């Protein structure tokens, strides 16, 4: 019985090794696809959202002003109408920049906003008003 188990083990190892060699050869001969940065493919919403603006520019939704400006320049250079790009895409890229700046400004206002004390209409009673 022992020679049978040994023979089956050797056969299993041989088949496994053959499979690994074939997989390695297939891996080495696969076409090399360059890993380039992908841009937003489109399919625009009627009203641009912060998420869509971030996807168009290739930044995060809460990116700082400098990152938005840098991303806008990079995307606009690739799609500028003077260089053969679409006017529609240029408008969308500019709209994304404005939306990104507004979102960044709104976030900054939330961080630096101090609530004002509530003024009641009853505060005027007793200040000379009869």
């Amino acid at each position: 019985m022992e020679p049978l188990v040994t023979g089956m083990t050797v056969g299993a190892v041989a088949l496994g090794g053959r499979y690994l060699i074939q997989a390695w050869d297939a891996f080495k001969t696969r076409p090399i696809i360059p890993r380039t940065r992908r841009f937003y493919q489109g399919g625009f919403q009627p009203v641009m959202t912060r998420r869509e603006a971030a996807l168009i520019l290739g930044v995060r939704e809460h990116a700082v002003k400098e990152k938005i400006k840098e991303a806008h320049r990079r995307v606009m250079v690739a799609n500028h109408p003077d260089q053969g790009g679409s006017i529609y895409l240029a408008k969308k890229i500019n709209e994304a920049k404005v939306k990104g700046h507004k979102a960044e400004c709104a976030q900054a206002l939330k961080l630096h906003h101090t609530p004002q004390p509530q003024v009641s209409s009853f505060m005027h009673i007793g200040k000379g008003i009869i």
Side-chain angles (χ1 to χ4, degrees):
M1 179 89 166
E2 202 172 295
L4 179 65
V5 173
T6 305
M8 290 182 71
T9 304
V10 169
V13 169
L15 286 175
R18 180 176 176 219
Y19 173 77
L20 287 175
I21 290 171
Q22 288 175 346
W24 178 252
D25 287 340
F27 176 75
K28 287 192 318 186
T29 59
R30 79 187 189 293
I32 297 174
I33 300 170
R35 295 185 182 218
T36 58
R37 188 165 187 184
R38 300 189 70 199
F39 294 104
Y40 183 57
Q41 296 296 320
F44 301 110
Q45 304 291 324
V47 177
M48 187 172 293
T49 62
R50 284 175 41 183
R51 181 180 181 276
E52 185 179 23
L55 286 171
I56 290 170
L57 295 176
V59 296
R60 295 181 183 215
E61 286 185 46
H62 302 289
V64 294
K65 194 173 188 176
E66 291 79 25
K67 290 276 188 187
I68 294 170
K69 191 173 181 180
E70 176 187 323
H72 173 265
R73 184 179 188 294
R74 179 178 30 82
V75 175
M76 186 55 92
V77 164
N79 294 288
H80 199 277
D82 291 347
Q83 303 297 324
S86 165
I87 294 173
Y88 178 73
L89 286 178
K91 286 180 181 178
K92 284 296 188 180
I93 293 166
N94 285 330
E95 186 180 352
K97 175 185 167 192
V98 170
K99 189 73 169 181
H101 281 311
K102 283 184 180 178
E104 198 248 340
C105 290
Q107 185 181 9
L109 285 175
K110 284 181 185 176
L111 293 175
H112 299 295
H113 181 263
T114 55
Q116 297 294 324
Q118 296 293 324
V119 178
S120 173
S121 60
F122 297 111
M123 297 288 280
H124 298 290
I125 297 175
K127 294 199 180 219
I129 300 175
I130 301 177

